[in-house]
Each structure stands twice: as structure tokens, then as C-alpha cells.
Amino acid sequence: MSQTLELRAVRRARWRIGLLVGLSIGVLLTMAGAISYQMLRHSQEQQISRELDYGVQNGVIAGPPACSWVFFYATDGTMTRGDRAAPTGLPLRGDVERVVATGVTQNQQVDRDGTRYWVRTQSRGEVIVQAVFDGRFQLADRRHLLTAFLLAAAAGLLAAVLAAMMVGHRAVAPLVEALGRQRRFVADASHELRTPIAQVHTRAQLLARRAAQTGADRRDLDRLVSTTRRLGEIVDELLLSARLAADPGNLPPGQPVDLARLAAEETERVLNPSTSITLDVPPDPVLVSGVESALRRVVSELLANALTHTHDGSIAVAVRTVADNAELVVADTGDGFDPADAARIFDRFHRGAGAGDRRFGLGLALLREVVSGHGGTIVADGYPGVGATFTVCLPLAPRATRLPSGPPPAAGPRPLPVLRLATGRRSASRRPAAGRRLFSRR
């Protein structure tokens, strides 16, 4: 499957590079054709103007005999001499009358019979001369030039596209292959690490049981068991991240996971005497489909990020259901971040302007991969010095896979249990859910 995706990526890159290069070549050829056409047109009009000047002064035009005519008029507008039969509508009597009345030279361009006539009427001493030039050959030269450039542009565009596709294939294929090798390396390394970590975890469990049987202090062994379990989960997450990068739709079959339970367990695990943590979860399970270790990492990473950037403030953790989705919200009153970085905060190793010591590294980037792989979304909102709020939205598990719940609740608003954890102490209280705001910002 991943190989198919890589081939598609190479194919798309080849087409894009080919089209971009082809369009660039086409634009250059079009510009060259337009400049050449304008230069040819300008030079032809200058030549025609010289021919008309010569015809007015000498009574004859040196151009092809079938393409030029000269007519002579008296000062009262009466024709005294004219060339052979002129084209329909020529000579132009109106121009002669205007020259008789004003003495100003008249220049006209007349389009007739599929060609264009340049007409100049000018007073020359005691006579008025009207010279006509047929520009059919000049117009034919222009059409030939345009046709040649259009054919050249089409051929150049096709050649550029083909050449760019070949170059793009050679340029992109090694990059795709390198990315594939990187993913395979992460997957292979994670797979190879799973066995020794599992062995260490098993031996740590055996030592902990033996210590319990002999009555010895087993706190260090319990920490070792917890650490090895966490290492195994991290390796599983790396393996999952590699699989998601190779094929985003290749997520392992999920099981119902209680998001509220994960939030409660991870919040209690990270208790910090210097930070006030408020937990707000519903009494019933909030089930989503997915990999429990991966979703636990989502909650743990958000809490760790909040604790890292909240020194003397407070943190609020909430789980709620909205329509057919479950929402996990982690808000803090810590350092915050620039709102302009909200769209890029999940990029790998992103560090926005003015971030100070706040580095986001790989944690949030891998977190977004996991959430996206579970069909969910994650957004961040914050402001410097005010705090940050991260909201994870995941689809609820299908009803067929949800755990059986208790009797239906009574009508009216149902109270939610609120667990407040502050300075390392825990207390339980109940308050109505209706109309209550979880977080506030000033």
C-alpha cells in the first residue's frame, strides 16, 4: 500500500513539474512572439508610409503594380488623372474634399475585400494627390509569423512538459525512496526494540512480585515496571507513527477506550504541588474507538506541555460529548503563544517568532498524527502571557461497541462529578452542569 502511495506521489510530482516548466516555456515563447510581431508590424507600417510619401511626391509607387494606385485632383476637387480601375470604394472622395477645405493631410486605413488599404491624401502645389497602398502581402507575412510562433510554442510546450517530467522523476524519485527508507527504518527499529523491552518488563514484574513475597521495599521495582511499560508504549507509538506516515488509513483495529478514564488517570499521575489542576469529567464512560496507548499519549503529551509552560498558574482538564463527538480540552494560564503560530504549532520543531524558551519539538507533531489517524482533529488557541487551550475532537465509538450504561437519567439537568486537584491534594464535589463555564479568559 505504501509503495502505491509513493508511486502516486512521484507521478503527481512529475506532472506538476512538467506543467510548471511547460507553462514557463510557453509564456517565454508567447512573449518572444508578441515582441517579434510588434517589431514586424512597426517596420511594415514604416515601409508603407515611405511608399505613400514616394507616391505623393513622384506620382508613382515603387511597390507591386497590382497593389498601389495614385489619383490626381485639381484644387476644386475635380479628378484630373487616375490610375487603372481601383478597388471598390476607392478613391476616397471625402478625404479629397477635406484636403480642399483645410489643406491638412489625411491618412486612412480601409479594410475591404479581405485586405487592408492605406490611403494618404495630400496637397502638392497646385494639385491634390491621393496614394493608395494594398497591404495584403504585409498582412500575409504577419499571419505566417503568428502561425510559426504558435506552432513553435506548442512544440516547445510539449517538449518542455516531457523533459520536465523526466527530470522531475529523476529528482523526486530518490527523495521518495529516502523517505520510504526512513519510515522502514523507524518501523524496523521499533519492531526490533519491542522484544528486549518486553523481556525487561517481564523480569521487572517478576522481581516486583518476589519483593512483595519477601516483604522488601518494592517502590523502586514498581517504578522500574512502570518505566519499562512506558518504554514499550513509546516504541508502539513510534511504530504506529511510521505506519500512519506510510499509509494514513492503515490504523490498527481500534477498541472502545474510555477517554474520561484516561484523562483522570493521567491527571492524577502528573500531580504537581506548585500547580493547581482541575479535572471535569462526566460520570459515565466517554468511549471512542482507537488504540489506548496512543490516546493515552495524547492526554499525557497535552498535560506535559501545559505543565512545562505553566509555572504558578492553573490547568483545567475536561472531557465532554458534543453531538457524536468526544472533546478533550486542556487549558492553562501559562506562557501562551502567538495566535499567528496556531496553524503551525503542530509542525515538527516549529518555533514561532518571540517564542522564547517555548519549543514544541516532535511531541505535538506526533500527537496530531495520532489524532488524525483516529479520525479526529486538534486545534490550539492561545495568547502570550494569557495561556493556551488545546481541544481534541474524536468521533464517539459506534453504539454497538459501547459499554452498557445504567438506567436512563431522570429528566432535567444532570450533575457532573468534578474532581479538583490542587497542591497535591484531591477532593470530590458535585455541581450542576447546566450553564456552567469550564474555562474563562480575561
Side-chain angles (χ1 to χ4, degrees):
M1 185 65 177
S2 60
Q3 186 177 4
T4 302
L5 294 176
E6 292 173 1
L7 292 176
R8 291 179 180 175
V10 172
R11 193 177 298 111
R12 286 195 300 267
R14 290 172 60 189
W15 275 106
R16 289 175 182 174
I17 295 176
L19 290 177
L20 289 176
V21 174
L23 289 176
S24 301
I25 298 298
V27 170
L28 291 176
L29 289 176
T30 302
M31 293 176 60
I35 294 173
S36 301
Y37 180 83
Q38 291 298 328
M39 291 179 63
L40 175 63
R41 178 175 175 270
H42 180 69
S43 64
Q44 287 180 343
E45 291 183 351
Q46 285 185 331
Q47 178 188 2
I48 293 173
S49 180
R50 290 193 296 267
E51 293 287 347
L52 293 175
D53 284 340
Y54 187 85
V56 170
Q57 296 298 326
N58 300 281
V60 65
I61 296 179
C67 296
S68 59
W69 298 265
V70 180
F71 306 92
F72 297 88
Y73 295 85
T75 54
D76 60 356
T78 304
M79 179 182 292
T80 58
R81 181 164 57 92
D83 282 348
R84 63 198 174 280
T88 304
L90 295 174
L92 300 179
R93 295 287 303 179
D95 286 3
V96 175
E97 294 173 357
R98 280 189 287 272
V99 172
V100 170
T102 63
V104 178
T105 300
Q106 301 294 316
N107 290 289
Q108 294 284 351
Q109 293 182 17
V110 181
D111 293 327
R112 289 177 184 170
D113 303 328
T115 184
R116 178 173 299 175
Y117 300 96
W118 277 260
V119 183
R120 177 171 297 174
T121 307
Q122 181 177 340
S123 175
R124 192 187 71 183
E126 299 296 329
V127 297
I128 297 174
V129 181
Q130 184 174 92
V132 180
F133 188 91
D134 186 353
R136 66 181 67 223
F137 295 113
Q138 285 76 9
L139 295 178
D141 290 341
R142 296 181 189 180
R143 289 193 294 269
H144 294 160
L145 178 64
L146 287 177
T147 302
F149 266 106
L150 288 176
L151 292 176
L157 179 63
L158 180 60
V161 169
L162 294 178
M165 288 179 63
M166 296 178 60
V167 173
H169 174 70
R170 295 184 178 182
V172 176
L175 178 60
V176 175
E177 183 180 358
L179 292 175
R181 290 180 178 178
Q182 180 184 11
R183 287 193 293 267
R184 288 192 297 271
F185 169 77
V186 174
D188 294 343
S190 302
H191 186 270
E192 293 298 327
L193 286 173
R194 293 176 70 180
T195 299
I197 290 178
Q199 293 175 350
V200 172
H201 181 64
T202 302
R203 292 171 183 173
Q205 287 179 316
L206 292 175
L207 290 175
R209 292 176 182 175
R210 291 175 183 174
Q213 293 175 356
T214 59
D217 188 357
R218 50 175 293 180
R219 286 179 297 178
D220 292 336
L221 291 176
D222 289 338
R223 292 174 183 173
L224 177 61
V225 172
S226 176
T227 302
T228 54
R229 176 178 58 81
R230 188 69 187 127
L231 283 175
E233 291 179 354
I234 292 175
V235 170
D236 289 338
E237 291 159 10
L238 288 174
L239 183 60
L240 176 62
S241 175
R243 293 175 62 181
L244 291 176
D247 184 3
N250 190 21
L251 187 70
Q255 299 295 328
V257 179
D258 186 0
L259 191 61
R261 176 179 59 82
L262 292 184
E265 292 177 355
E266 291 302 311
T267 301
E268 187 173 1
R269 184 180 64 84
V270 299
L271 283 178
N272 188 338
S274 64
T275 304
S276 173
I277 303 180
T278 302
L279 176 66
D280 188 351
V281 296
D284 295 330
V286 179
L287 299 180
V288 296
S289 295
V291 181
E292 180 172 346
S293 63
L295 293 176
R296 183 183 295 275
R297 179 62 182 271
V298 171
V299 180
S300 174
E301 183 65 31
L302 290 178
L303 285 171
N305 181 73
L307 287 170
T308 301
H309 305 291
T310 304
H311 307 291
D312 298 322
S314 61
I315 299 173
V317 182
V319 176
R320 58 199 180 201
T321 58
V322 179
D324 292 332
N325 296 315
E327 283 189 356
L328 166 69
V329 182
V330 179
D332 63 71
T333 59
D335 301 333
F337 57 87
D338 191 337
D341 292 330
R344 300 184 56 197
I345 196 173
F346 299 100
D347 294 345
R348 298 190 176 211
F349 302 108
H350 171 66
R351 181 176 180 179
D357 294 332
R358 184 156 195 157
R359 296 183 178 88
F360 304 112
L362 279 172
L364 293 180
L366 293 176
L367 185 151
R368 181 175 62 177
E369 290 182 5
V370 172
V371 173
S372 299
H374 284 75
T377 59
I378 179 171
V379 294
D381 182 25
Y383 198 81
V386 177
T389 301
F390 291 83
T391 303
V392 177
C393 184
L394 295 169
L396 290 171
R399 294 185 180 275
T401 62
R402 298 184 188 179
L403 298 177
S405 56
R414 178 173 54 85
L416 296 178
V418 178
L419 181 65
R420 290 192 173 275
L421 308 175
T423 63
R425 299 187 302 273
R426 182 176 59 181
S427 62
S429 63
R430 301 178 75 87
R431 63 170 68 178
R436 182 169 56 82
R437 296 183 62 187
L438 293 177
F439 311 113
S440 62
R441 286 285 185 267
R442 292 183 178 178

